[in-house]
Amino acid sequence: MLRFPCLVLDHDDTVVKSTPAIHYPSFVETLKTLRPDVHWTLEQYVCYNFEPGFEAMCRDILCFTPEEMAFEEAGWRAWSAAHVPPAFEGLAPLLHRFKARKGLVCVVSHSSEETIRRDYLRHFGFEPDLVFGWDLGKDKRKPAPWPLEQIMARFSLAPEQLLMVDDLKPGWQMAKSRGVPFAFAGWGCGVEPIRRFMEANADFFLDRVEQLEALVLEE
């Protein structure tokens, strides 16, 4: 038996290198139009996504109106449709071996379901067993626990049979709220404040994909 029968994976900067390739450059373009006096580095952008989170960043720091939020989302969707971010090295063989042992691969992400399924087919040749993306709305997207509840109900799994793998706080919050073990995807995050938080709070602090492989394929 697998130690964790179900992997619950974040997508951005956990499976694919999408913040530097898609999210940050598309956001920079948005700022040029909506807040031309605001100039954030990639690290600042990642830190704000960690705390207070993307929606709060837009609402409370940048004070985007609903119309401006719609403009930002439209630009992000266009950029996402036009670019396929690279996958982190080592994930393809890990996921293939995990699936070969009848493991379940579910995705809980702030990317769209369409983008997630496209990236999995492109990089891994299969689609996840379940996908919970941005389009579900605030009450059903992480850090709300709804995705984990759906996964456990669908596959009759206990919390300890899941492993949530993420590089940011919403995934950790979601996992903690339902007693699901959490692994920090450190290979996708080099920002020190985030790494310090995860080192103190994650159940598993992983710096390399190989460490995840050793963890989930341990029987």
Side-chain angles (χ1 to χ4, degrees):
M1 288 180 60
L2 292 166
R3 180 177 180 182
F4 300 102
C6 180
L7 273 179
V8 183
L9 298 172
D10 170 51
H11 193 58
D12 302 306
D13 308 305
T14 295
V15 170
V16 294
K17 305 174 187 179
S18 48
T19 290
I22 294 175
H23 305 301
Y24 175 66
S26 73
F27 200 75
V28 168
E29 291 302 310
T30 294
L31 290 179
K32 287 179 182 178
T33 300
L34 300 182
R35 299 292 185 273
D37 293 334
V38 176
H39 305 282
W40 287 349
T41 65
L42 174 59
E43 183 167 322
Q44 286 174 308
Y45 175 75
V46 171
C47 283
Y48 283 132
N49 271 269
F50 180 77
E51 183 66 47
F54 181 78
E55 288 181 294
M57 173 188 76
C58 292
R59 182 186 65 244
D60 301 333
I61 297 175
L62 294 168
C63 300
F64 281 178
T65 65
E67 292 76 18
E68 288 174 329
M69 281 297 298
F71 178 86
E72 185 282 328
E73 184 169 339
W76 164 67
R77 288 186 183 278
W79 199 283
S80 297
H83 300 81
V84 178
F88 284 98
E89 194 172 331
L91 275 172
L94 161 58
L95 293 178
H96 288 152
R97 285 194 282 270
F98 186 75
K99 292 287 287 182
R101 297 190 188 186
K102 309 302 182 185
L104 298 164
V105 175
C106 299
V107 178
V108 182
S109 168
H110 284 171
S111 277
S112 69
E113 179 175 351
E114 180 182 10
T115 296
I116 293 163
R117 292 188 180 279
R118 177 203 67 186
D119 292 350
Y120 267 74
L121 284 171
R122 178 72 64 88
H123 293 305
F124 311 129
F126 70 88
E127 294 187 39
D129 295 285
L130 289 176
V131 176
F132 302 88
W134 180 262
D135 300 315
L136 291 171
K138 185 176 181 180
D139 293 338
K140 293 183 177 180
R141 71 169 75 111
K142 66 180 178 183
W146 189 82
L148 292 181
E149 294 168 350
Q150 297 304 302
I151 293 168
M152 290 187 284
R154 172 74 176 273
F155 299 113
S156 300
L157 296 171
E160 62 271 15
Q161 293 179 291
L162 279 59
L163 179 67
M164 179 72 216
V165 185
D166 206 326
D167 66 304
L168 290 179
K169 200 171 186 178
W172 172 80
Q173 291 172 311
M174 181 181 65
K176 184 180 179 182
S177 73
R178 287 299 177 268
V180 170
F182 178 85
F184 171 59
W187 56 82
C189 180
V191 179
E192 280 307 314
I194 298 175
R195 292 177 64 83
R196 286 196 298 269
F197 175 90
M198 291 300 184
E199 192 167 17
N201 292 281
D203 298 296
F204 304 98
F205 185 94
L206 309 178
D207 261 328
R208 303 186 311 279
V209 172
E210 292 79 7
Q211 292 172 305
L212 177 62
E213 181 173 3
L215 179 63
V216 300
L217 294 181
E218 176 187 318
E219 298 187 359

